[in-house]
Amino acid sequence: IEAVKKYTGVDFDEIKDTAVAKKIADEKDVHYEARHEKGDILNLFCKITEQILGQIHHAVVVGVCLIQLHEGEFRVVSGV
């Protein structure tokens, strides 16, 4: 729940019922079905958080790979 709060700005600890969860989902343009309850909507926000974290992880991995690929060039530029 903390990651959802950090990356989506929604604090599910403060959401008391399904109606409030649906209202917030509407505000954040998160699509849900009429049958969904608060827990289902939390799961949707968890999936969004996972996607955000996946994008961050991918960017870090690519950055590290680029650094390793060009490590020799960095030494020449930095004088190491």
Side-chain angles (χ1 to χ4, degrees):
I1 290 181
E2 287 300 314
V4 170
K5 181 179 176 182
K6 181 176 180 176
Y7 292 102
T8 68
V10 178
D11 185 356
F12 270 85
D13 286 333
E14 299 295 318
I15 297 174
K16 301 302 179 201
D17 60 30
T18 298
V20 175
K22 287 182 176 182
K23 181 179 181 226
I24 292 171
D26 290 338
E27 291 170 0
K28 297 285 187 175
D29 201 29
V30 174
H31 302 285
Y32 58 88
E33 296 178 19
R35 64 179 175 81
H36 283 157
E37 300 290 329
K38 176 185 169 187
D40 301 312
I41 295 170
L42 171 58
N43 284 336
L44 295 173
F45 277 90
C46 286
K47 288 181 183 182
I48 291 168
T49 302
E50 288 171 4
Q51 290 173 347
I52 292 168
L53 290 173
Q55 291 170 355
I56 292 169
H57 175 76
H58 178 73
V60 169
V61 168
V62 168
V64 168
C65 289
L66 286 172
I67 289 170
Q68 290 173 346
L69 179 65
H70 297 287
E71 191 173 17
E73 295 170 28
F74 289 138
R75 286 191 185 130
V76 170
V77 171
S78 68
V80 175

